[in-house]
Amino acid sequence: MEYTFGHGEDEEFADGIGFNSVMLAHSMELSDDFTQIELDNDEIVSVFTLIPLYKEELEFKKHNGATALLERFDQYGVEEIVKVGRQNVCI
């Protein structure tokens, strides 16, 4: 399950940041031991990650799917830790 949330009219979240949307996704780095927490009442709490996206990455995800974008992140060594100025994997 991956969802994206954009910022109005393709605007950046803040001047000079470049990111205009985020993708809610399963962790690329953490195992289920850390992202699936079982409560005492047997309910499961899932922990997700928010990955900031550039406009081009959002468009790529819309056309090719989240899995293809996550594969690009892996190819370029993009981690879950937010790094302002990280490489745009779709330019």
Side-chain angles (χ1 to χ4, degrees):
M1 171 186 78
E2 289 81 25
Y3 294 102
T4 50
F5 305 92
H7 195 260
E9 303 288 326
D10 291 330
E11 296 175 19
E12 295 179 2
F13 289 129
D15 290 336
I17 272 195
F19 302 124
N20 76 332
S21 56
V22 293
M23 179 170 65
L24 177 71
H26 291 282
S27 177
M28 299 182 292
E29 299 172 18
L30 300 175
S31 70
D32 285 348
D33 292 340
F34 295 101
T35 61
Q36 300 291 310
I37 302 166
E38 187 172 345
L39 303 178
D40 291 337
N41 63 1
D42 294 328
E43 288 188 40
I44 302 290
V45 174
S46 297
V47 178
F48 294 89
T49 188
L50 285 174
I51 304 168
L53 303 178
Y54 292 105
K55 178 181 178 180
E56 296 83 4
E57 294 169 341
L58 177 62
E59 290 302 315
F60 180 88
K61 185 224 175 230
K62 287 178 182 178
H63 290 80
N64 300 287
T67 300
L69 181 57
L70 292 172
E71 287 172 359
R72 280 209 176 186
F73 285 154
D74 189 46
Q75 290 172 347
Y76 286 86
V78 173
E79 300 173 335
E80 291 180 19
I81 297 171
V82 176
K83 294 181 182 174
V84 174
R86 73 158 169 83
Q87 182 176 6
N88 183 332
V89 301
C90 293
I91 292 184

